[in-house]
């Protein structure tokens, strides 16, 4: 078969047809994967919440709400954990842009009094082997059970009580900052029983 | 029409003689970027195989309809469509892997191997041999990435495919970017040495 000539009309028609077919098939795939993607994202959030608060029987993801931070620049997602309709804790999704590279996203679990139950690192782009150690228990354990209102959870260099990760003070500082922001936002609103 | 033996040769050339990573040195951005573990290398490789095979297939099917002057934009639209599909499918069905590879999946669009094979092979050959070529190149790419990932994971985190072999810290540099260059350099040297030896050249 002879090759299509590079005439003006042919160029336009060919490209138009190819882009049309491309977008059409992409539309189908998008539609097809929409539900599984939403499900996967929900499962991921639930897993993170499960890791930071325990013993709830509701679905915190469907009941989530947003609270504006104290400086009013941002708002954090709150996932209420209830048992038999009673509030037992809250998972707060918080972030810091002060990390070594990119945003650090954390899920922090608070009990009703504002004590940190556990923390899960959702996403970070810190240096592997240095800042990435923020996901290890040896670092996270320093925060568990503490109340940021009573204990200064800054790194020791800033006068706080947290041992920064060796070689990753910036990452540790960003981590503490985002936990602090979650706590202050958490305290700024009343939570229903 | 090619005979069966040449299909076999066509496939094998992507693995060794024209291995995209070790010999052609194409697509080094994902090669160096994602191979911090064997599993990441494998995942990236499989995603690339899909895109390579599909784009080679479609390009060879419609090669006669595409006027010469717009062939590159046409190829890129085709490749980009398949890459976006892979991304959506991975996000839906392998969310963990998607999280790991994240940024690098869209970059398959500009992977020189994919466009290179469309331009240099699929647009000039039959459908079947283009399929075989895409598969061979893709498998060669996957093997190279998995091997590189395994070496870096072994030296950097003392584990392989996520299984910890030893306690303690590995050599951090192998997880970082310089380790990718160092490992790749040694692998290419090794490949060349093996090639020379099998050709009977002594050094």
């Amino acid at each position: 078969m002879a090759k299509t000539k590079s005439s003006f009309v042919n160029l336009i028609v060919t490209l138009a047809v190819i882009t049309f077919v491309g977008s059409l098939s992409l539309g189908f795939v998008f539609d097809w994967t929409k539900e599984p993607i939403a499900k996967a994202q929900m499962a991921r959030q639930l897993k993170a919440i499960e890791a930071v608060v325990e013993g709830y029987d509701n679905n915190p993801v469907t009941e989530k709400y947003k609270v504006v931070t104290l400086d009013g620049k941002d708002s954090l997602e709150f996932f209420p954990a209830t048992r038999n309709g009673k509030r037992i804790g809250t998972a707060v999704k918080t972030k810091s842009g002060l990390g070594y590279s990119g945003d650090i996203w954390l899920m922090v679990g608070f009990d009703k009094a504002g004590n940190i139950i556990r923390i899960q690192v959702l996403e970070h782009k810190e240096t592997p082997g240095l800042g990435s150690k923020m996901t290890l228990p040896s670092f996270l354990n320093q925060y568990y059970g503490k109340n940021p209102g009573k204990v200064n959870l800054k790194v020791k260099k800033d006068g706080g009580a947290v041992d920064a990760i060796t070689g990753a003070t910036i990452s540790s500082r960003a981590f503490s900052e985002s936990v602090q922001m979650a706590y202050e936002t958490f305290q700024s609103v009343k939570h229903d029983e | 029409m090619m005979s069966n033996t040449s299909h076999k040769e066509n496939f094998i050339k992507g693995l060794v003689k024209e291995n995209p990573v070790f010999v052609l040195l194409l697509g080094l951005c994902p090669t160096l970027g994602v191979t911090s573990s064997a599993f990441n290398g494998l995942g990236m490789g499989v995603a690339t195989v899909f895109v390579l095979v599909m784009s080679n297939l479609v390009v060879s099917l419609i090669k006669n309809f595409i006027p010469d002057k717009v062939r590159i934009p046409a190829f890129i639209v085709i490749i980009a469509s398949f890459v976006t599909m892979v991304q959506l499918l991975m996000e839906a069905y392998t969310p963990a892997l998607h999280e790991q590879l994240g940024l690098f999946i869209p970059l398959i669009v500009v992977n020189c191997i994919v466009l290179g094979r469309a331009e240099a092979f699929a647009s000039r050959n039959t459908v079947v041999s283009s399929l075989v070529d895409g598969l061979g190149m893709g498998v060669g790419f996957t093997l190279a990435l998995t091997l590189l990932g395994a070496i870096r994971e072994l030296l950097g985190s003392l584990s392989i495919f996520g299984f910890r072999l030893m306690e303690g810290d590995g050599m951090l540099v192998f997880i970082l970017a310089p380790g990718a260059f160092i490992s790749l350099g040694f692998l290419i040297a090794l490949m060349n040495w093996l090639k020379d030896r099998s050709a009977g050249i002594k050094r």
Side-chain angles (χ1 to χ4, degrees):
Chain A
M1 209 179 83
K3 209 163 167 79
T4 314
K5 284 215 175 64
S6 292
S7 71
F8 185 69
V9 177
N10 279 349
L11 298 187
I12 293 175
V13 170
T14 320
L15 271 186
V17 169
I18 289 178
T19 39
F20 179 73
V21 174
S23 6
L24 197 70
S25 39
L26 274 186
F28 274 116
V29 177
F30 176 76
D31 217 45
W32 181 34
T33 53
K34 209 156 81 183
E35 224 173 281
I37 288 178
K39 252 191 213 161
Q41 276 171 351
M42 163 98 83
R44 205 171 65 201
Q45 284 193 318
L46 276 178
K47 219 175 114 191
I49 295 166
E50 233 164 74
V52 298
V53 210
E54 293 183 321
Y56 55 87
D57 57 7
N58 64 329
N59 181 344
V61 175
T62 53
E63 293 172 28
K64 74 170 179 202
Y65 52 92
K66 285 195 167 179
V67 179
V68 180
T69 53
L70 289 184
D71 59 10
K73 282 182 194 151
D74 209 345
S75 60
L76 304 181
E77 282 179 346
F78 277 51
F79 302 91
T82 60
R83 186 181 180 82
N84 301 325
K86 277 208 167 157
R87 186 68 164 261
I88 54 167
T90 311
V92 180
K93 191 177 169 187
T94 178
K95 74 161 181 184
S96 171
L98 299 179
Y100 199 65
S101 63
D103 287 342
I104 299 170
W105 287 91
L106 304 178
M107 187 73 89
V108 186
F110 291 105
D111 66 11
K112 275 162 63 181
N115 298 316
I116 296 169
I117 307 173
R118 270 191 296 282
I119 301 173
Q120 177 93 347
V121 179
L122 300 175
E123 205 184 304
H124 75 85
K125 297 188 184 69
E126 303 303 295
T127 319
L130 295 172
S132 72
K133 285 192 175 143
M134 68 168 66
T135 59
L136 297 181
S138 53
F139 177 69
L140 292 172
N141 277 338
Q142 303 185 74
Y143 293 86
Y144 295 173
K146 306 257 169 72
N147 186 325
K150 291 172 192 149
V151 186
N152 184 350
L153 287 180
K154 282 185 174 172
V155 296
K156 281 191 176 150
K157 258 187 200 165
D158 301 339
V162 170
D163 270 322
I165 304 157
T166 314
T169 311
I170 295 178
S171 309
S172 317
R173 200 175 270 159
F175 189 98
S176 280
E177 188 245 12
S178 62
V179 172
Q180 190 66 29
M181 182 167 83
Y183 175 76
E184 282 165 8
T185 316
F186 176 79
Q187 289 296 341
S188 71
V189 284
K190 274 225 161 230
H191 302 280
D192 347 313
E193 282 296 300
Chain B
M1 197 68 200
M2 284 193 187
S3 68
N4 277 333
T5 42
S6 58
H7 278 322
K8 202 171 140 199
E9 274 166 27
N10 191 10
F11 179 76
I12 303 250
K13 78 166 194 286
L15 302 189
V16 186
K17 208 175 84 201
E18 288 181 30
N19 186 295
V21 175
F22 295 138
V23 182
L24 304 180
L25 297 179
L26 289 177
L28 287 188
C29 164
T31 303
L32 299 169
V34 302
T35 52
S36 56
S37 76
F39 187 69
N40 284 359
L42 183 67
M44 185 68 188
V46 172
T48 310
V49 169
F50 175 81
V51 175
L52 249 173
V53 170
M54 294 310 282
S55 71
N56 260 13
L57 171 71
V58 173
V59 167
S60 64
L61 273 174
I62 61 170
K63 58 177 184 283
N64 285 331
F65 297 103
I66 304 177
D68 266 345
K69 279 193 180 139
V70 290
R71 67 180 197 285
I72 300 293
F75 295 163
I76 291 185
V77 171
I78 293 166
I79 294 166
S81 305
F82 282 118
V83 170
T84 314
M85 279 179 211
V86 170
Q87 192 179 13
L88 288 170
L89 289 170
M90 283 179 82
E91 199 175 349
Y93 299 105
T94 54
L97 186 62
H98 178 262
E99 231 170 277
Q100 286 286 313
L101 299 179
L103 176 73
F104 288 96
I105 296 296
L107 283 178
I108 300 178
V109 178
V110 287
N111 190 329
C112 322
I113 305 169
V114 186
L115 187 62
R117 292 333 281 177
E119 162 75 4
F121 199 93
S123 68
R124 286 165 206 175
N125 285 285
T126 61
V127 175
V128 181
S129 46
S130 300
L131 267 181
V132 174
D133 176 77
L135 203 62
M137 284 289 162
V139 172
F141 185 66
T142 309
L143 282 178
L145 255 63
T146 314
L147 185 63
L148 192 56
I151 291 173
R152 289 179 62 191
E153 193 182 351
L154 188 69
L155 296 174
S157 354
L158 303 180
S159 56
I160 198 115
F161 281 103
F163 295 111
R164 241 184 137 64
L165 300 177
M166 273 178 278
E167 279 310 307
D169 292 332
M171 284 178 275
L172 181 61
V173 66
F174 281 97
I175 298 293
L176 302 174
F181 284 97
I182 296 169
S183 320
L184 183 66
F186 275 104
L187 269 176
I188 293 173
L190 180 72
M191 289 291 275
N192 282 334
W193 181 72
L194 286 175
K195 208 161 64 186
D196 283 354
R197 216 175 62 143
S198 69
I201 304 170
K202 280 257 162 69
R203 292 197 183 197

